[in-house]
Short mmCIF file of all heavy atoms in Angstrom, two decimals:
data_model
loop_
_atom_site.label_atom_id
_atom_site.label_comp_id
_atom_site.label_asym_id
_atom_site.label_seq_id
_atom_site.Cartn_x
_atom_site.Cartn_y
_atom_site.Cartn_z
N VAL A 437 19.92 16.02 37.34
CA VAL A 437 20.65 14.82 36.92
C VAL A 437 19.67 13.65 36.81
O VAL A 437 18.81 13.45 37.68
CB VAL A 437 21.77 14.47 37.92
CG1 VAL A 437 22.43 13.14 37.55
CG2 VAL A 437 22.80 15.59 37.96
N ASP A 438 19.78 12.89 35.73
CA ASP A 438 19.01 11.67 35.54
C ASP A 438 19.81 10.53 36.18
O ASP A 438 20.80 10.06 35.62
CB ASP A 438 18.79 11.43 34.05
CG ASP A 438 17.92 10.21 33.79
OD1 ASP A 438 17.71 9.41 34.71
OD2 ASP A 438 17.44 10.07 32.64
N ILE A 439 19.37 10.10 37.38
CA ILE A 439 20.13 9.11 38.15
C ILE A 439 20.31 7.81 37.37
O ILE A 439 21.40 7.23 37.34
CB ILE A 439 19.45 8.83 39.51
CG1 ILE A 439 19.38 10.13 40.34
CG2 ILE A 439 20.18 7.75 40.27
CD1 ILE A 439 20.73 10.71 40.68
N ASP A 440 19.23 7.34 36.73
CA ASP A 440 19.32 6.09 35.97
C ASP A 440 20.36 6.20 34.86
O ASP A 440 21.18 5.29 34.66
CB ASP A 440 17.95 5.73 35.37
CG ASP A 440 16.94 5.38 36.45
OD1 ASP A 440 17.37 4.95 37.53
OD2 ASP A 440 15.73 5.53 36.20
N ALA A 441 20.32 7.31 34.11
CA ALA A 441 21.28 7.50 33.01
C ALA A 441 22.70 7.63 33.54
O ALA A 441 23.66 7.13 32.92
CB ALA A 441 20.89 8.73 32.20
N LEU A 442 22.86 8.28 34.72
CA LEU A 442 24.19 8.46 35.30
C LEU A 442 24.79 7.11 35.71
O LEU A 442 25.97 6.83 35.47
CB LEU A 442 24.11 9.40 36.51
CG LEU A 442 25.43 9.67 37.23
CD1 LEU A 442 26.43 10.34 36.29
CD2 LEU A 442 25.19 10.53 38.46
N ILE A 443 23.97 6.26 36.32
CA ILE A 443 24.45 4.93 36.74
C ILE A 443 24.88 4.12 35.53
O ILE A 443 25.93 3.47 35.52
CB ILE A 443 23.36 4.20 37.55
CG1 ILE A 443 23.13 4.91 38.89
CG2 ILE A 443 23.73 2.73 37.76
CD1 ILE A 443 21.95 4.38 39.66
N THR A 444 24.05 4.17 34.46
CA THR A 444 24.38 3.43 33.23
C THR A 444 25.69 3.94 32.62
O THR A 444 26.57 3.17 32.21
CB THR A 444 23.24 3.56 32.21
OG1 THR A 444 22.03 3.07 32.78
CG2 THR A 444 23.55 2.79 30.93
N ALA A 445 25.86 5.27 32.59
CA ALA A 445 27.07 5.87 32.02
C ALA A 445 28.30 5.51 32.84
O ALA A 445 29.38 5.22 32.29
CB ALA A 445 26.89 7.38 31.93
N PHE A 446 28.13 5.51 34.18
CA PHE A 446 29.25 5.18 35.07
C PHE A 446 29.68 3.72 34.87
O PHE A 446 30.88 3.40 34.81
CB PHE A 446 28.86 5.44 36.52
CG PHE A 446 29.98 5.19 37.50
CD1 PHE A 446 31.04 6.10 37.62
CD2 PHE A 446 29.99 4.04 38.30
CE1 PHE A 446 32.07 5.85 38.50
CE2 PHE A 446 31.02 3.80 39.18
CZ PHE A 446 32.07 4.72 39.30
N ALA A 447 28.68 2.85 34.75
CA ALA A 447 28.99 1.43 34.52
C ALA A 447 29.71 1.24 33.20
O ALA A 447 30.65 0.43 33.08
CB ALA A 447 27.70 0.62 34.54
N ASP A 448 29.27 1.97 32.16
CA ASP A 448 29.95 1.89 30.87
C ASP A 448 31.41 2.32 31.00
O ASP A 448 32.32 1.70 30.43
CB ASP A 448 29.23 2.78 29.83
CG ASP A 448 27.88 2.22 29.42
OD1 ASP A 448 27.66 1.01 29.65
OD2 ASP A 448 27.05 2.97 28.86
N MET A 449 31.64 3.40 31.75
CA MET A 449 33.00 3.93 31.91
C MET A 449 33.88 2.91 32.61
O MET A 449 35.03 2.68 32.21
CB MET A 449 32.94 5.23 32.71
CG MET A 449 34.32 5.89 32.88
SD MET A 449 34.25 7.31 33.98
CE MET A 449 33.94 6.49 35.54
N ARG A 450 33.34 2.22 33.64
CA ARG A 450 34.14 1.24 34.38
C ARG A 450 34.49 0.03 33.53
O ARG A 450 35.46 -0.67 33.81
CB ARG A 450 33.38 0.80 35.64
CG ARG A 450 33.20 1.89 36.68
CD ARG A 450 34.56 2.37 37.23
NE ARG A 450 35.27 1.32 37.93
CZ ARG A 450 35.18 1.10 39.25
NH1 ARG A 450 34.42 1.88 39.99
NH2 ARG A 450 35.85 0.12 39.81
N THR A 451 33.71 -0.23 32.51
CA THR A 451 34.00 -1.38 31.64
C THR A 451 34.80 -0.97 30.41
O THR A 451 35.02 -1.77 29.51
CB THR A 451 32.68 -2.04 31.18
OG1 THR A 451 31.88 -1.06 30.51
CG2 THR A 451 31.93 -2.63 32.34
N GLY A 452 35.22 0.28 30.36
CA GLY A 452 36.07 0.73 29.27
C GLY A 452 35.34 1.38 28.11
O GLY A 452 35.97 1.79 27.13
N VAL A 453 34.02 1.51 28.22
CA VAL A 453 33.24 2.16 27.16
C VAL A 453 33.21 3.65 27.44
O VAL A 453 33.16 4.09 28.60
CB VAL A 453 31.80 1.59 27.10
CG1 VAL A 453 30.99 2.32 26.03
CG2 VAL A 453 31.84 0.10 26.83
N GLU A 454 33.22 4.45 26.38
CA GLU A 454 33.19 5.90 26.58
C GLU A 454 31.91 6.31 27.29
O GLU A 454 30.81 5.89 26.92
CB GLU A 454 33.28 6.62 25.22
CG GLU A 454 33.33 8.13 25.36
CD GLU A 454 33.45 8.83 24.02
OE1 GLU A 454 33.60 8.13 22.99
OE2 GLU A 454 33.38 10.07 24.00
N MET A 455 32.04 7.18 28.28
CA MET A 455 30.89 7.60 29.09
C MET A 455 30.00 8.56 28.30
O MET A 455 30.47 9.51 27.69
CB MET A 455 31.39 8.29 30.37
CG MET A 455 30.28 8.76 31.28
SD MET A 455 30.96 9.45 32.82
CE MET A 455 29.46 10.07 33.59
N SER A 456 28.68 8.28 28.30
CA SER A 456 27.72 9.13 27.61
C SER A 456 27.55 10.45 28.36
O SER A 456 27.63 10.50 29.59
CB SER A 456 26.36 8.43 27.50
OG SER A 456 25.38 9.31 27.00
N ASP A 457 27.29 11.52 27.58
CA ASP A 457 27.03 12.81 28.21
C ASP A 457 25.52 13.06 28.41
O ASP A 457 25.11 14.11 28.89
CB ASP A 457 27.62 13.94 27.38
CG ASP A 457 27.01 14.03 25.98
OD1 ASP A 457 26.31 13.06 25.59
OD2 ASP A 457 27.21 15.05 25.29
N ARG A 458 24.68 12.09 28.04
CA ARG A 458 23.23 12.27 28.16
C ARG A 458 22.77 11.78 29.54
O ARG A 458 22.23 10.69 29.69
CB ARG A 458 22.51 11.51 27.04
CG ARG A 458 23.01 11.87 25.64
CD ARG A 458 22.25 11.14 24.55
NE ARG A 458 20.88 11.62 24.40
CZ ARG A 458 20.52 12.66 23.65
NH1 ARG A 458 21.45 13.34 22.97
NH2 ARG A 458 19.26 13.04 23.58
N ILE A 459 23.03 12.64 30.56
CA ILE A 459 22.77 12.23 31.95
C ILE A 459 21.90 13.24 32.68
O ILE A 459 21.88 13.29 33.91
CB ILE A 459 24.11 12.04 32.70
CG1 ILE A 459 24.94 13.33 32.65
CG2 ILE A 459 24.89 10.86 32.13
CD1 ILE A 459 26.16 13.29 33.53
N PHE A 460 21.13 14.05 31.93
CA PHE A 460 20.31 15.07 32.57
C PHE A 460 18.82 14.87 32.24
O PHE A 460 18.47 14.18 31.28
CB PHE A 460 20.75 16.48 32.12
CG PHE A 460 22.15 16.82 32.49
CD1 PHE A 460 23.19 16.64 31.58
CD2 PHE A 460 22.46 17.31 33.76
CE1 PHE A 460 24.50 16.95 31.92
CE2 PHE A 460 23.76 17.62 34.10
CZ PHE A 460 24.78 17.43 33.19
N THR A 461 17.98 15.49 33.06
CA THR A 461 16.54 15.54 32.77
C THR A 461 16.17 16.98 32.44
O THR A 461 16.77 17.92 32.96
CB THR A 461 15.70 15.06 33.97
OG1 THR A 461 15.92 15.93 35.07
CG2 THR A 461 16.04 13.64 34.34
N ARG A 462 15.14 17.10 31.56
CA ARG A 462 14.71 18.44 31.17
C ARG A 462 13.19 18.46 31.04
O ARG A 462 12.58 17.52 30.52
CB ARG A 462 15.35 18.82 29.83
CG ARG A 462 14.94 20.17 29.29
CD ARG A 462 15.91 20.62 28.19
NE ARG A 462 16.03 19.62 27.14
CZ ARG A 462 15.20 19.54 26.08
NH1 ARG A 462 14.19 20.38 25.98
NH2 ARG A 462 15.40 18.62 25.16
N LYS A 463 12.56 19.53 31.55
CA LYS A 463 11.11 19.68 31.44
C LYS A 463 10.75 20.29 30.09
O LYS A 463 11.43 21.17 29.59
CB LYS A 463 10.58 20.59 32.56
CG LYS A 463 10.58 19.95 33.94
CD LYS A 463 9.93 20.86 34.95
CE LYS A 463 9.88 20.20 36.33
NZ LYS A 463 9.22 21.09 37.32
N GLN A 464 9.64 19.77 29.55
CA GLN A 464 9.16 20.30 28.28
C GLN A 464 7.64 20.32 28.29
O GLN A 464 7.00 19.38 28.75
CB GLN A 464 9.65 19.43 27.11
CG GLN A 464 9.17 19.91 25.75
CD GLN A 464 9.82 19.13 24.64
OE1 GLN A 464 11.03 19.13 24.48
NE2 GLN A 464 9.01 18.43 23.86
N LYS A 465 7.09 21.39 27.78
CA LYS A 465 5.64 21.50 27.70
C LYS A 465 5.08 20.41 26.80
O LYS A 465 5.63 20.10 25.74
CB LYS A 465 5.23 22.86 27.12
CG LYS A 465 5.45 24.04 28.08
CD LYS A 465 4.42 24.04 29.19
CE LYS A 465 4.56 25.29 30.06
NZ LYS A 465 3.64 25.25 31.20
N ILE A 466 3.97 19.82 27.22
CA ILE A 466 3.34 18.76 26.43
C ILE A 466 2.70 19.37 25.18
O ILE A 466 1.96 20.35 25.25
CB ILE A 466 2.26 18.03 27.26
CG1 ILE A 466 2.90 17.26 28.41
CG2 ILE A 466 1.44 17.09 26.38
CD1 ILE A 466 1.91 16.58 29.32
N ASP A 467 3.01 18.79 24.03
CA ASP A 467 2.39 19.20 22.78
C ASP A 467 1.19 18.30 22.53
O ASP A 467 1.33 17.15 22.14
CB ASP A 467 3.41 19.07 21.65
CG ASP A 467 2.84 19.49 20.31
OD1 ASP A 467 1.78 20.16 20.31
OD2 ASP A 467 3.44 19.15 19.28
N ARG A 468 -0.01 18.83 22.75
CA ARG A 468 -1.23 18.01 22.66
C ARG A 468 -1.74 18.02 21.21
O ARG A 468 -2.56 18.86 20.84
CB ARG A 468 -2.29 18.54 23.61
CG ARG A 468 -1.91 18.42 25.08
CD ARG A 468 -3.03 18.92 25.96
NE ARG A 468 -4.25 18.16 25.81
CZ ARG A 468 -4.51 16.99 26.40
NH1 ARG A 468 -3.60 16.44 27.20
NH2 ARG A 468 -5.64 16.36 26.22
N ASP A 469 -1.20 17.12 20.42
CA ASP A 469 -1.63 16.99 19.02
C ASP A 469 -2.65 15.86 18.94
O ASP A 469 -2.33 14.73 18.57
CB ASP A 469 -0.41 16.72 18.14
CG ASP A 469 -0.76 16.75 16.67
OD1 ASP A 469 -1.88 17.20 16.33
OD2 ASP A 469 0.07 16.33 15.85
N LEU A 470 -3.90 16.19 19.32
CA LEU A 470 -4.96 15.18 19.46
C LEU A 470 -6.14 15.49 18.56
O LEU A 470 -6.43 16.65 18.26
CB LEU A 470 -5.48 15.14 20.90
CG LEU A 470 -4.55 14.60 21.99
CD1 LEU A 470 -5.13 14.94 23.35
CD2 LEU A 470 -4.42 13.10 21.86
N ALA A 471 -6.83 14.43 18.15
CA ALA A 471 -8.13 14.56 17.49
C ALA A 471 -9.01 13.43 18.02
O ALA A 471 -8.62 12.26 18.00
CB ALA A 471 -7.99 14.46 15.97
#
Side-chain angles (χ1 to χ4, degrees):
V437 174
D438 183 346
I439 299 299
D440 293 334
L442 179 61
I443 292 172
T444 302
F446 183 75
D448 289 342
M449 183 186 69
R450 293 296 297 268
T451 57
V453 178
E454 183 179 354
M455 180 176 174
S456 172
D457 62 347
R458 306 182 71 86
I459 57 171
F460 298 96
T461 63
R462 178 164 54 86
K463 287 185 178 181
Q464 179 173 299
K465 288 286 185 184
I466 293 176
D467 180 17
R468 295 182 62 81
D469 187 12
L470 291 167

